[in-house]
Amino acid sequence: MCVIINKYILWDLDGTIVNSEDLIFKKLIFSSACEQLGLDFNLQENAYAGNTVKEIFALLLQSNHVSDDSPVRSAFDLWKGHVLSAVSENILSVKPRSNAVELWQQCHKLGIQQAVVTSNHQEIAIQYLRNAGLYDMCVSLTCMEDVRHPKPDPEPYLLAMSKLNSSPASCIAIEDSITGIRSAKAAGLYTLAWVKDMDDVSFGIADVVTAKLSVVDIVRGLGLDMHQP
């Protein structure tokens, strides 16, 4: 049995643990939600990659030339509900990112505690973690519903550390997006950027930028020796 230590990995979820940021998957769920409101999903990939659901809805209103007096303008909550339903219906198609599950398992064996800090909704986040077989190893979950100011604001990470009664000295963050990296760094965290595009210089604000995250990277970031605990 592993010895639990007071060191924490604060994992982002979408794009970091699971491939839910896949643009084909996003187009599927947004198109499905738009059909329910009679909207055309006519956005280019760069318009919905990395944007919040609220930002995407605003862009859809503009691209569909929705008039100021249309009831659709006040239907964001309804549209978001359709998005969440579409995610739930297709959630089994979202697979863990390559090596993510193995990294969780290895860190768990080392006694390192692991939490998730996500801009996704709790119900969806729990389903993703359960499907990946990681939920029982997750000691804390901070989601969209828990904060007033989501990433890139530091609030999600500050709240996560508060829940764990911890501090930046005992934690690291693992992120895949510039929005998440900014949030983690603003919260004072050592941040590992596990990215797919090593040519994007904006990731340089992270402490380590890598396309091939390893346990060695994580252990080093936490200030541990590989032979500990």
Side-chain angles (χ1 to χ4, degrees):
M1 183 175 179
C2 65
V3 177
I4 304 300
I5 59 177
N6 290 322
K7 293 287 188 178
Y8 301 90
I9 306 167
L10 307 181
W11 290 86
D12 171 55
L13 178 60
D14 294 281
T16 303
I17 298 174
V18 295
N19 283 316
S20 52
E21 291 296 296
D22 177 80
L23 293 177
I24 296 174
F25 176 72
K26 282 197 160 187
K27 185 175 183 179
L28 170 67
I29 62 172
F30 291 140
S31 297
S32 176
C34 284
E35 287 178 10
Q36 302 299 317
L37 294 185
L39 296 172
D40 291 326
F41 187 70
N42 51 13
L43 301 181
Q44 298 298 313
E45 288 183 355
N46 61 358
Y48 61 91
N51 285 329
T52 66
V53 176
K54 182 165 282 190
E55 290 167 337
I56 292 167
F57 185 70
L59 290 170
L60 283 167
L61 294 179
Q62 182 179 358
S63 66
N64 279 265
H65 307 292
V66 176
S67 62
D68 291 341
D69 58 351
S70 171
V72 175
R73 283 200 167 269
S74 59
F76 169 69
D77 288 339
L78 179 61
W79 183 77
K80 184 176 74 171
H82 291 312
V83 169
L84 294 176
S85 294
V87 172
S88 294
E89 290 168 6
N90 295 279
I91 203 160
L92 291 177
S93 69
V94 178
K95 304 302 181 183
R97 186 171 175 181
S98 178
N99 202 39
V101 172
E102 292 79 5
L103 288 170
W104 269 71
Q105 292 170 339
Q106 292 171 46
C107 290
H108 182 70
K109 289 179 181 178
L110 290 172
I112 301 167
Q113 301 187 68
Q114 300 176 87
V116 169
V117 183
T118 177
S119 295
N120 212 324
H121 295 270
Q122 182 177 343
E123 178 184 352
I124 300 298
I126 289 173
Q127 288 185 69
Y128 281 148
L129 291 171
R130 286 194 189 282
N131 291 347
L134 302 178
Y135 184 68
D136 290 341
M137 287 184 276
C138 181
V139 299
S140 176
L141 183 58
T142 300
C143 301
M144 175 67 78
E145 296 92 335
D146 298 318
V147 299
R148 293 183 60 189
H149 306 290
K151 301 173 187 178
D153 193 274
E155 183 184 348
Y157 279 106
L158 293 173
L159 177 59
M161 286 187 284
S162 177
K163 287 181 178 181
L164 296 167
N165 193 28
S166 191
S167 70
S170 300
C171 302
I172 62 169
I174 301 178
E175 281 279 358
D176 75 308
S177 71
I178 188 60
T179 299
I181 294 166
R182 285 174 178 158
S183 175
K185 292 303 296 180
L189 286 160
Y190 182 95
T191 305
L192 292 170
W194 187 15
V195 304
K196 297 183 176 78
D197 182 8
M198 287 293 291
D199 294 327
D200 189 337
V201 296
S202 65
F203 292 127
I205 64 171
D207 295 278
V208 171
V209 181
T210 181
K212 297 180 179 180
L213 185 65
S214 70
V215 174
V216 172
D217 295 321
I218 294 170
V219 168
R220 185 180 294 128
L222 287 167
L224 296 172
D225 186 282
M226 274 298 288
H227 300 292
Q228 292 180 346

